[in-house]
Amino acid sequence: MIRSISVRTPGGPLREEAVVIPLFAGERALPALPSDRALADAATALFAAGFSGRRGETRIASVLRDKKLIHLLLLGLGRREAAGAEDIADAAGSAAAALNGVRAASAAIHLDPVLDVALPEGDVAHATLKGMLLAGYSFSVGKRTAAPLRRVSLVTSRPARAFSAVVRRARLVSGLIIDVRDWVNAPANRMTPGGFAASSRELCARHGVTCRAWGRREIEKAGMGGVLAVAVGSREEPRFVVMQYNMDKAKLPLVCLVGKGVTFDSGGISIKPWEKMHEMKSDMAGGAATVAAICACASLGLPLRVVALVPCVENMPGGAAFRPGDVLTMCSGKTVEVYTTDAEGRLILADAVAYARAHYRPDTIVDIATLTGGAVIALGTRVAPIMGNAPARIDAMRAAGLAAGEPVWPLPLDERFFDLVKGEIADYKNHAGRGASPITGGALVGVFAESTPWVHVDIAGPSWNDGGGPSYQTRGATGYGVDLLVRFLEGMAGA
Ligand code: BES
Ligand code: MN
Ligand code: ZN
């Protein structure tokens, strides 16, 4: 695990066990050479032997120095014109994996060759560090083996202070992404609603965010019929986690984040087939991302007020469970007929979004949720559909996705789709057929945002890596959404 990051100029004696030279595809000469003569020769020889520069391509040569191996790594960045933040992080992750493969404890990476792309330099440096910091992650219940790479130096001719804020931010965000991965990978018998609330309290305390977790009583008092109905089939008591940052600064813009916190989604009475049910421990990934995002805001000191709300429940079948056909009265007073107990996310989000709107009167609401299987069918596991009622905020979310390397894509949510969630015996229904299910799912949440500017991010695909993810993700939880939200919030803060 990487514990220290420094920034230094090229030249001077080599103190690291490895040097990384990144280059784009089709380059005719090496863009940088290590000051060390033997390593420079090794680099030239590796390059001459044929190196395509394909993204993630790595070649290593090692030289013996004082009975220790020093490594030279050529790293392919792929096509310069096509390189986005996600591609750069992906290449950097491959470098870290290769360095861990030769058990290097420290490495210097030449940054200047990477900076030569159509992205702000800070975003490039951030992506490079994020890829390296996340690549060594692994999860197992019990003891974990730490990856060997511990120290990274960014080598650049730019003044070190140009990157000091980026280094701090990359460490912070990557650390929080790792926390989210741990929470989401944790089995549902450990990460219960109570466990989620306790973990949130702990993380918030570390970052200076106030955190309160309501229990069933308070949720009842608020009249959150959606949260209560989904929770009632489980022996685990629900929680409603309320986190606040900067709320005493009334002049600053206010953003409410709402995250889906279903610690296990069996489908309830509308039970899911068994094949992938175990992966439904990840149904609180949106909730975890919102906790991490508000913690990042506080640690970065963003000039913004942020409230994060996570309705936290376990969706289980049982004698006490809610059923298809039930009509729920939500906290806003609107009623919803339940067609399937497996469309539970929109029910708990509807209550949380309505509460956010009525209680805080925010400038913007952003909800993030593993909401629909249809999102995975539509866009796969690398891109999250977004939608909402405020075009400028949707554009801002797209920009955040590009900068963070966490891509999102807008789906059309208009009256046609709001019409589809209108109910027959109640105001609304929680299911509107298979067609356009990510949009009708979003629409039911959007109904409760009413006129408050609102963006919905469906992370059912990218929150979980089933094997096809970038190099800096292992199988399982990805922590997708944290960097995206932080970027979006930085934009709202005008930072
Ligand atoms: N948590 C699931 C969505 C999901 C599916 C997340 C796959 C991650 C991977 C959600 O609660 C759900 O069950 N959605 C259903 C709704 C349907 C029954 C209306 C879906 O999209 O299939
Ligand atoms: Mn479900
Ligand atoms: Zn769910």
Side-chain angles (χ1 to χ4, degrees):
M1 194 166 101
I2 298 173
R3 300 207 166 272
S4 106
I5 298 168
S6 56
V7 182
R8 65 171 177 82
T9 51
L14 181 68
R15 274 167 283 139
E16 296 84 3
E17 292 175 23
V19 179
V20 182
I21 313 276
L23 66 158
F24 286 99
E27 296 213 82
R28 301 187 162 198
L30 286 172
L33 276 181
S35 51
D36 182 284
R37 190 52 193 277
L39 287 183
D41 289 347
T44 311
L46 274 185
F47 187 61
F51 186 78
S52 75
R54 177 176 48 77
R55 176 159 44 83
E57 182 180 4
T58 53
R59 290 281 157 70
I60 292 195
S62 308
V63 300
L64 199 58
R65 171 87 37 86
D66 301 332
K67 297 189 184 148
K68 262 191 95 171
L69 282 178
I70 313 283
H71 311 281
L72 183 286
L73 173 68
L74 290 191
L75 172 67
L77 297 170
R79 281 179 46 232
R80 185 195 305 275
E81 316 77 60
E86 189 190 27
D87 305 295
I88 290 166
D90 184 32
S94 301
L99 293 165
N100 281 319
V102 295
R103 309 202 67 74
S106 58
I109 178 163
H110 283 260
L111 184 63
D112 293 348
V114 197
L115 295 178
D116 197 11
V117 286
L119 271 178
E121 296 198 340
D123 292 355
V124 175
H126 176 82
T128 305
L129 289 172
K130 179 178 162 185
M132 294 189 82
L133 286 161
L134 294 178
Y137 176 82
S138 63
F139 180 83
S140 79
V141 176
K143 64 172 178 289
R144 98 165 73 193
T145 49
L149 186 62
R150 296 172 65 83
R151 274 195 306 122
V152 169
S153 318
L154 289 179
V155 178
T156 174
S157 50
R158 311 279 198 283
R161 77 189 125 70
F163 294 108
S164 53
V166 174
V167 169
R168 213 177 92 71
R169 188 175 170 289
R171 291 186 65 130
L172 171 73
V173 171
S174 302
L176 286 164
I177 289 173
I178 285 171
D179 288 329
V180 168
R181 287 182 181 182
D182 282 344
W183 292 18
V184 174
N185 281 325
N189 60 339
R190 296 172 185 230
M191 185 54 76
T192 57
F196 187 98
S199 299
S200 301
R201 262 198 296 272
E202 214 176 282
L203 198 66
C204 286
R206 264 196 272 145
H207 291 268
V209 171
T210 57
C211 176
R212 280 217 338 109
W214 305 357
R216 176 175 282 125
R217 274 283 172 62
E218 287 159 289
I219 298 171
E220 275 167 5
K221 233 185 281 156
M224 294 184 170
V227 179
L228 291 166
V230 177
V232 78
S234 169
R235 292 167 58 157
E236 300 293 337
E237 199 187 320
R239 297 287 192 283
F240 189 78
V241 187
V242 181
M243 292 153 281
Q244 301 186 334
Y245 160 64
N246 257 352
M247 282 308 278
D248 49 339
K249 310 219 167 102
K251 289 215 178 79
L252 294 175
L254 171 58
V255 180
C256 282
L257 303 175
V258 175
K260 175 174 173 181
V262 176
T263 58
F264 186 70
D265 182 12
S266 70
I269 294 297
S270 314
I271 197 163
K272 288 177 180 296
W274 67 271
E275 282 94 340
K276 288 198 146 208
M277 199 197 275
H278 61 288
E279 289 181 2
M280 282 301 119
K281 69 179 182 179
S282 70
D283 215 17
M284 33 55 78
T290 62
V291 183
I294 194 173
C295 286
C297 286
S299 278
L300 292 168
L302 292 189
L304 196 69
R305 287 179 296 158
V306 185
V307 172
L309 304 173
V310 182
C312 218
V313 295
E314 186 179 50
N315 188 21
M316 295 291 267
F322 78 134
R323 17 177 139 48
D326 286 0
V327 173
L328 314 177
T329 301
M330 314 295 278
C331 81
S332 65
K334 296 182 172 84
T335 56
V336 179
E337 185 181 4
V338 177
Y339 279 49
T340 162
T341 61
D342 199 11
E344 84 296 343
R346 59 201 76 181
L347 297 173
I348 65 171
L349 292 171
D351 272 336
V353 163
Y355 179 79
R357 169 178 158 76
H359 194 262
Y360 292 102
R361 301 267 150 205
D363 297 288
T364 302
I365 298 174
V366 176
D367 85 81
I368 181 164
T370 48
L371 201 70
T372 64
V376 195
I377 305 293
L379 297 185
T381 55
R382 298 288 290 269
V383 179
I386 57 172
M387 61 207 82
N389 59 9
R393 300 288 198 279
I394 293 173
D395 288 347
M397 191 61 79
R398 286 185 72 177
L402 284 174
E406 296 188 346
V408 298
W409 200 260
L411 294 182
L413 171 51
D414 56 30
E415 281 313 311
R416 285 185 281 258
F417 299 97
F418 283 112
D419 282 346
L420 292 178
V421 297
K422 290 196 176 130
E424 279 149 45
I425 65 163
D427 297 331
Y428 300 98
K429 55 191 179 191
N430 81 333
H431 183 47
R434 290 164 61 100
S437 69
I439 312 183
T440 54
L444 190 72
V445 182
V447 158
F448 291 81
E450 296 184 33
S451 59
T452 303
W454 156 78
V455 182
H456 163 65
V457 187
D458 191 336
I459 59 168
S463 59
W464 189 261
N465 174 18
D466 51 12
S471 68
Y472 55 87
Q473 295 176 354
T474 41
R475 280 177 73 89
T478 63
Y480 176 104
V482 178
D483 205 2
L484 175 73
L485 290 176
V486 173
R487 291 281 178 167
F488 179 85
L489 292 163
E490 284 174 336
M492 288 291 297

